Amino acid sequence: RVCGKTDCSSYDIEQAVRFAAGLANDSGTVPARRADVINVSLGGTTPSPTEQSVYSQALAAGVIIVAAAGNEGLNEPNYPAALNGVIAVGAVDFNKARAPYSNFGSWVTLVAPGGNLAQDANGDGQKDVVLSTVTKDTGGTLTYDYELWQGTSMATPHMAGVLALMKAVAPSLTPTTAMNLLTSGALTDDLGAAGKDDQFGYGLINASKAVAAVGGGSGTFRTLNSSLLNFGVNVGAMVPVP
């Protein structure tokens, strides 16, 4: 855990990145096995003076890093997403349009599903949002649940998960190779203007294409029937979180 109940500093996050990457950090410890992929579902408009150096060191150690583009709906860089070497993830809605809250610009690398509380585009009677695991400690005891969210912080784990699938079939995949595949269009479905654009970057991540691009065969995925899923809680009673 990096952040407390209310907040954490850029320094705290940088120390966590160093730890996850197996680099020297203030704790004096490193994990038995460093992370392959780091997901950073947070950020701000002003980078810290040491931020690029820390993330560059993690990338050099072989860690692929993805970060949320931010939820202000502005053409304004968000950090660490806009740092060199980091994969910046924007959000799209059910119709594959840029979600209205998603930041955009030349620094955005690609997009992934992020949800949209204002829509029910598929007509299923539910808001088009992302079901996410949560841990609550407001009552003094940790409780585990699911909640409905929207945001680029929801889009980013989709990309991190796809990268994990890629690493599963290609363990030697490096940050440089992953970025080269991405910029070549091998991992995404192009959206908007042909090629890279400010709204969608290189396009919408496609898990099947991504796994196939690193030698994972056809990369065929099955669609699950949501009525057969059992989350162990009453999902229908949850309130979407803006």
Side-chain angles (χ1 to χ4, degrees), residues 145-168:
D145 207 342
Y146 295 85
E147 285 190 356
L148 302 172
W149 297 76
Q150 69 172 18
T152 57
S153 288
M154 299 295 101
T156 306
H158 283 87
M159 181 57 189
V162 170
L163 287 165
L165 293 174
M166 293 169 68
K167 290 287 290 190

Side-chain angles (χ1 to χ4, degrees), residues 115-233:
N116 187 342
L117 279 165
Q119 289 184 343
D120 177 17
N122 62 349
D124 66 353
Q126 301 289 333
K127 301 290 187 181
D128 295 337
V129 285
V130 178
L131 185 65
S132 178
T133 55
V134 296
T135 302
K136 303 176 182 178
D137 57 6
T138 52
T141 302
L142 290 180
T143 58
Y144 306 98
D145 207 342
Y146 295 85
E147 285 190 356
L148 302 172
W149 297 76
Q150 69 172 18
T152 57
S153 288
M154 299 295 101
T156 306
H158 283 87
M159 181 57 189
V162 170
L163 287 165
L165 293 174
M166 293 169 68
K167 290 287 290 190
V169 297
S172 62
L173 182 69
T174 67
T176 298
T177 301
M179 187 65 81
N180 288 341
L181 287 169
L182 211 167
T183 57
S184 74
L187 310 184
T188 57
D189 295 330
D190 194 23
L191 296 178
K196 188 176 188 293
D197 63 75
D198 289 358
Q199 297 293 311
F200 305 102
Y202 289 100
L204 177 64
I205 185 63
N206 181 319
S208 179
K209 285 179 65 175
V211 172
V214 291
S218 63
T220 301
F221 292 83
R222 299 185 183 278
T223 300
L224 296 177
N225 184 336
S226 60
S227 66
L228 301 179
L229 298 178
N230 180 4
F231 292 98
V233 294

Side-chain angles (χ1 to χ4, degrees), residues 2-168:
V2 180
C3 298
K5 289 184 178 181
T6 58
D7 203 357
C8 56
S9 69
S10 294
Y11 184 82
D12 295 330
I13 297 164
E14 290 166 20
Q15 287 297 307
V17 169
R18 295 186 65 85
F19 175 84
L23 302 172
N25 62 87
D26 287 355
S27 75
T29 63
V30 293
R33 184 183 183 281
R34 68 156 174 79
D36 289 320
V37 181
I38 292 177
N39 180 96
V40 190
S41 283
L42 47 79
T45 56
T46 304
S48 78
T50 57
E51 202 165 22
Q52 182 65 69
S53 174
V54 169
Y55 283 83
S56 293
Q57 289 177 63
L59 290 162
V63 183
I64 305 172
I65 304 172
V66 294
N71 302 324
E72 292 73 38
L74 301 173
N75 185 353
E76 182 176 11
N78 211 53
Y79 298 91
L83 296 175
N84 294 333
V86 174
I87 298 173
V89 186
V92 291
D93 62 17
F94 181 85
N95 293 319
K96 299 181 182 180
R98 181 177 64 83
Y101 55 78
S102 181
N103 286 350
F104 57 96
S106 60
W107 53 279
V108 172
T109 316
L110 80 168
V111 291
N116 187 342
L117 279 165
Q119 289 184 343
D120 177 17
N122 62 349
D124 66 353
Q126 301 289 333
K127 301 290 187 181
D128 295 337
V129 285
V130 178
L131 185 65
S132 178
T133 55
V134 296
T135 302
K136 303 176 182 178
D137 57 6
T138 52
T141 302
L142 290 180
T143 58
Y144 306 98
D145 207 342
Y146 295 85
E147 285 190 356
L148 302 172
W149 297 76
Q150 69 172 18
T152 57
S153 288
M154 299 295 101
T156 306
H158 283 87
M159 181 57 189
V162 170
L163 287 165
L165 293 174
M166 293 169 68
K167 290 287 290 190

